[in-house]
Amino acid sequence: MAAECTISTSINIKEPRWDQGTFVGRAKHFFTVTDPRNILLSNEQLEKARQIILDYKKGVVTPGLTEDELWRAKYVFDSAFHPDTGEKMLLIGRMSAQVPMNMTITGCMMTFYRTTPAVLFWQWINQSFNAIVNYTNRSGDAPITVNQLGTAYVSATTGAVATALGLNALAKHVSPLIGRFVPFAAVAAANCINIPLMRQRELKHGIPITDENDNRLGESSKAAQQAITQVVVSRILMASPGMGSFITQSPPFLMNSLEKKAFLKRFPWMSAPIQVGLVGFCLVFATPLCCALFPQKSSMAVSRLEAELQEKIRASHPGVETVYFNKGL
């Protein structure tokens, strides 16, 4: 029997498996990152993947490990541990929890949108979930205090709920079909409030920027502005069927049609499960495709950074023209 080959130690697992310079490559990457099956992994499986990756980075290859198994371990590791801090992320804040959590919350928002208490409750649930996701997937490694987190959460949730109630009041004067899009318009508007507030520390103090070899060059607020803007755009398209592709527009139209049929008139309790299922089907595709709109490792010309940071970089690293940073998710 031939001896089992050992894989090379030169595979760059710091970067995704697929070319992130193309949308297709980023889409393949995020279909793996957002795979809902990853939330079912045990702590033992996560720790095993973590050890494989940490050993490999030190040049130690687990006996019998194949290249496919190495990449699988990388994506399991990435699905549960923050790229900057290395800490294990909150379960419901992980990108692999996006589809099951969002399909449930969004489906319920679309079903229970007619009364003020229902709007209040589901928008509060949604913004609480968004706050957890935004904190869990923040860029950078600087800690945020409990007071900062609490202030950001209360401000973001209050703004989001007020937006939802205002739009819901306006929707009472339009057709029922348009009314179905109100929850998504509220979510889109709320994302513009929630994400910057939850990541306000980055806007104030900056996020880590590096050269192409991952050498840290400083912290930049300009980079944080670009990162947060890209995340807001991705989240709006991900969460708002009325602003996305045709497939994500289908749930409101389908439900508006189905509720006129005999089946849902006879079994009205089926409305929420059907709505959740339709939204879930759309989100399986919308989540990774919208995440793939912008590279995870974002870049910016040195000339666009703060003046003092430009001077610092040109003095210590005169050949660097472009800096890189993790934009968050």
Side-chain angles (χ1 to χ4, degrees):
M1 183 179 293
E4 191 168 12
C5 294
T6 301
I7 62 172
S8 168
T9 56
S10 62
I11 299 171
N12 185 11
I13 59 170
K14 290 183 180 180
E15 301 295 334
R17 187 172 192 176
W18 299 278
D19 179 11
Q20 297 301 283
T22 67
F23 177 77
V24 171
R26 294 196 295 273
K28 288 180 178 179
H29 167 69
F30 280 109
F31 266 107
T32 307
V33 169
T34 61
D35 187 342
R37 293 174 296 180
N38 285 339
I39 62 173
L40 302 176
L41 297 173
S42 66
N43 286 331
E44 184 180 351
Q45 289 172 303
L46 294 177
E47 189 55 39
K48 181 180 178 181
R50 177 175 174 273
Q51 199 57 52
I52 288 173
I53 297 304
L54 292 179
D55 286 346
Y56 189 84
K57 287 179 177 178
K58 296 174 184 175
V60 178
V61 179
T62 304
L65 187 73
T66 66
E67 184 172 345
D68 283 341
E69 288 171 340
L70 174 65
W71 282 112
R72 171 61 182 158
K74 172 197 162 44
Y75 277 102
V76 167
F77 174 78
D78 288 350
S79 76
F81 297 91
H82 193 278
D84 292 327
T85 66
E87 66 184 15
K88 186 181 288 185
M89 296 183 284
L90 295 168
L91 181 64
I92 64 172
R94 299 174 193 172
M95 291 309 293
S96 51
Q98 282 286 291
V99 172
M101 290 298 296
N102 271 326
M103 67 184 280
T104 303
I105 296 171
T106 305
C108 288
M109 281 197 299
M110 290 180 67
T111 303
F112 309 110
Y113 67 94
R114 292 183 175 90
T115 67
T116 298
V119 170
L120 276 170
F121 177 76
W122 286 108
Q123 285 294 334
W124 170 69
I125 289 290
N126 184 55
Q127 292 311 314
S128 296
F129 170 64
N130 282 345
I132 293 171
V133 172
N134 295 336
Y135 173 73
T136 304
N137 295 281
R138 67 197 183 281
S139 176
D141 51 14
I144 182 170
T145 67
V146 174
N147 284 340
Q148 289 172 328
L149 185 61
T151 301
Y153 167 70
V154 171
S155 301
T157 304
T158 302
V161 169
T163 302
L165 288 175
L167 289 172
N168 202 53
L170 291 174
K172 292 178 180 177
H173 306 291
V174 297
S175 71
L177 177 59
I178 294 176
R180 286 186 178 276
F181 286 93
V182 166
F184 293 99
V187 168
N191 272 322
C192 296
I193 302 169
N194 196 322
I195 295 173
L197 279 172
M198 291 303 294
R199 296 176 61 175
Q200 61 183 294
R201 192 185 191 286
E202 298 172 34
L203 291 170
K204 184 177 180 180
H205 300 287
I207 58 176
I209 56 171
T210 68
D211 62 16
E212 60 182 1
N213 297 316
D214 287 333
N215 297 310
R216 190 158 173 165
L217 304 175
E219 290 76 38
S220 169
S221 296
K222 296 283 188 182
Q225 290 171 18
Q226 177 175 305
I228 291 171
T229 299
Q230 291 177 346
V231 171
V232 169
V233 171
S234 295
R235 292 285 189 85
I236 287 175
L237 293 176
M238 189 190 305
S240 305
M243 300 183 186
S245 63
F246 174 77
I247 190 172
T248 58
Q249 292 182 22
S250 58
F253 289 109
L254 283 173
M255 288 307 299
N256 200 56
S257 176
L258 285 173
E259 287 191 352
K260 297 175 183 176
K261 307 294 182 183
F263 177 75
L264 279 184
K265 287 182 178 179
R266 186 177 177 187
F267 303 104
W269 60 270
M270 284 294 294
S271 180
I274 292 173
Q275 189 83 265
V276 169
L278 286 171
V279 172
F281 176 78
C282 293
L283 286 176
V284 165
F285 299 96
T287 300
L289 293 178
C290 290
C291 284
L293 289 174
F294 305 102
Q296 185 62 40
K297 187 177 182 179
S298 196
S299 61
M300 175 180 279
V302 171
S303 58
R304 293 179 56 202
L305 297 173
E306 299 89 325
E308 60 273 19
L309 189 54
Q310 289 185 41
E311 293 178 10
K312 177 184 173 183
I313 292 173
R314 285 172 178 148
S316 58
H317 299 79
V320 174
E321 296 295 332
T322 304
V323 295
Y324 301 87
F325 50 92
N326 170 30
K327 71 175 176 62
L329 284 172

